[in-house]
Amino acid sequence: MDRRIIGIIPARGGSKSLPRKNLQDLLGVPLIAFSIQSALESKLIDCVYVSSNDPEILDISKKFGAHVIRRPEDISGDLSRDHELLEHAIESEFPNLDDDSLIAFLRPSHPLRNPQTLDRAIEVYQNSMGFDSLRSMKETSEIPFKMWMISETGYATKVTDNQKIDVTDPINAPRQLLPKTYYQDGYIEVFPFKTIKTFQNTAGETVLPFIIDEFSHDIDTIGDLNLINERLDKFPKPSWLSIPTPQK
C-alpha cells in the first residue's frame, strides 16, 4: 500500500472564546491561511487537507490551496475529540494508504510556523524508533508541582500526585530542586495512522518531545490575536514568513 505524509488542519466552525476564530484577520488574511501556507511550503508534506463542518471555512481553505474534508456535525461539537475527525478523514479520504503513513497535525490557532521546522520535526520522528507520536513542546515558566485545583466543596487539591519525582514535599520545595517541565504548544504533532487506529488519540503511549525554541503563540482570545498582529507590525517579520495569497 502507498505510504504518504498528510497535513491535516482541524478547523470546526464553532469557537466560544473567540467567535469565528479560524477566519479572524491576521495581517489582512484569514487566520487559517497561515497554517495552510506553512504546510504547502513544507518539502515533506505530500498534501494538505482542512477538516471542517463550516462551509465558509471549507471555501476559504480551497481558495488558499488546501483540499477539504466536510466533517459531520456529530463530530464537530465543543466536546468532540481529535481522533474522531482523524478517523473520519482516514476512512473517507485515505482508505488505501498504509497504516505507517504519517499525519502532520497542524492546529489553525497556531499561525506562525516555519516550514523548515515542520520538516525537521517530521524527520526527527521518521529517524526515531519506538514512539507512537511526536509532539512539540516548550519549557514551562510555571511549576505544575506547585499547582492546585479547587474542588466544588472549596478544598484545594494538588494538580499532580508528584509520585514521579524524587523530591520530598514538592509543593513546598525550592524550585531549583524540581525537574524542568514542558507544555504542548500546538506547533506540530506527528503520528502514523496506526496510532489513531490503535489508541483512539493522537499521542499513543510513547511520545517523542520536539522542543520549540522560536517565537510562536497560540490564539485563544482576541488578546492573543492582537499580540501577534502587534509583534508582526512592530518587529521585522521572520525571513521564512510569506503572507498567504489566494491561489488562482
Side-chain angles (χ1 to χ4, degrees), residues 118-217:
L118 299 182
D119 287 343
R120 187 160 53 89
I122 294 169
E123 287 178 337
V124 166
Y125 184 74
Q126 288 177 318
N127 293 330
S128 301
M129 300 290 292
F131 292 94
D132 297 319
S133 65
L134 172 148
R135 188 164 292 210
S136 63
M137 303 179 183
K138 287 185 176 181
E139 186 175 344
T140 58
S141 57
E142 304 298 330
I143 304 174
F145 307 112
K146 293 178 177 287
M147 290 184 178
W148 302 80
M149 298 179 292
I150 299 177
S151 69
E152 292 181 358
T153 56
Y155 287 91
T157 59
K158 300 172 186 177
V159 168
T160 70
D161 58 18
N162 298 322
Q163 294 179 4
K164 292 189 176 182
I165 61 173
D166 188 22
V167 177
T168 302
D169 190 21
I171 286 292
N172 297 304
R175 65 182 297 152
Q176 291 85 351
L177 295 178
L178 299 171
K180 291 182 179 181
T181 55
Y182 300 83
Y183 69 94
Q184 56 190 40
D185 72 331
Y187 199 108
I188 184 173
E189 296 170 48
V190 182
F191 44 85
F193 285 13
K194 62 186 177 185
T195 292
I196 296 297
K197 294 181 178 182
T198 302
F199 300 101
Q200 284 75 55
N201 63 51
T202 63
E205 294 180 347
T206 53
V207 179
L208 178 64
F210 182 77
I211 306 304
I212 298 294
D213 58 3
E214 60 194 65
F215 174 78
S216 60
H217 194 76

Side-chain angles (χ1 to χ4, degrees), residues 35-247:
S35 294
I36 295 171
Q37 181 84 0
S38 295
L40 290 173
E41 292 180 355
S42 160
K43 294 181 179 179
L44 296 181
I45 295 174
D46 293 309
C47 49
V48 181
Y49 284 77
V50 170
S51 169
S52 182
N53 63 320
D54 187 284
E56 187 179 7
I57 291 175
L58 293 171
D59 183 57
I60 287 176
S61 297
K62 285 190 289 187
K63 290 179 179 177
F64 282 91
H67 301 283
V68 298
I69 303 171
R70 186 173 294 277
R71 196 192 315 175
E73 290 293 340
D74 62 350
I75 58 171
S76 300
D78 292 341
L79 303 181
S80 296
R81 297 297 188 102
D82 290 333
H83 76 86
E84 296 174 305
L85 75 91
L86 291 165
E87 288 169 349
H88 172 259
I90 291 170
E91 293 170 2
S92 63
E93 302 294 329
F94 317 115
N96 298 320
L97 291 187
D98 191 278
D99 279 355
D100 285 324
S101 291
L102 297 181
I103 292 173
F105 201 49
L106 307 172
R107 302 178 190 278
S109 57
H110 203 98
L112 302 182
R113 294 183 176 95
N114 185 340
Q116 293 181 2
T117 302
L118 299 182
D119 287 343
R120 187 160 53 89
I122 294 169
E123 287 178 337
V124 166
Y125 184 74
Q126 288 177 318
N127 293 330
S128 301
M129 300 290 292
F131 292 94
D132 297 319
S133 65
L134 172 148
R135 188 164 292 210
S136 63
M137 303 179 183
K138 287 185 176 181
E139 186 175 344
T140 58
S141 57
E142 304 298 330
I143 304 174
F145 307 112
K146 293 178 177 287
M147 290 184 178
W148 302 80
M149 298 179 292
I150 299 177
S151 69
E152 292 181 358
T153 56
Y155 287 91
T157 59
K158 300 172 186 177
V159 168
T160 70
D161 58 18
N162 298 322
Q163 294 179 4
K164 292 189 176 182
I165 61 173
D166 188 22
V167 177
T168 302
D169 190 21
I171 286 292
N172 297 304
R175 65 182 297 152
Q176 291 85 351
L177 295 178
L178 299 171
K180 291 182 179 181
T181 55
Y182 300 83
Y183 69 94
Q184 56 190 40
D185 72 331
Y187 199 108
I188 184 173
E189 296 170 48
V190 182
F191 44 85
F193 285 13
K194 62 186 177 185
T195 292
I196 296 297
K197 294 181 178 182
T198 302
F199 300 101
Q200 284 75 55
N201 63 51
T202 63
E205 294 180 347
T206 53
V207 179
L208 178 64
F210 182 77
I211 306 304
I212 298 294
D213 58 3
E214 60 194 65
F215 174 78
S216 60
H217 194 76
D218 203 55
I219 294 176
D220 285 320
T221 68
I222 190 64
D224 295 325
L225 184 64
N226 291 338
L227 174 66
I228 292 184
N229 267 308
E230 290 171 7
R231 182 182 177 92
L232 293 175
D233 183 56
K234 292 180 179 178
F235 297 95
K237 296 178 179 59
S239 59
W240 51 261
L241 179 62
S242 56
I243 306 303
T245 57
Q247 299 188 1

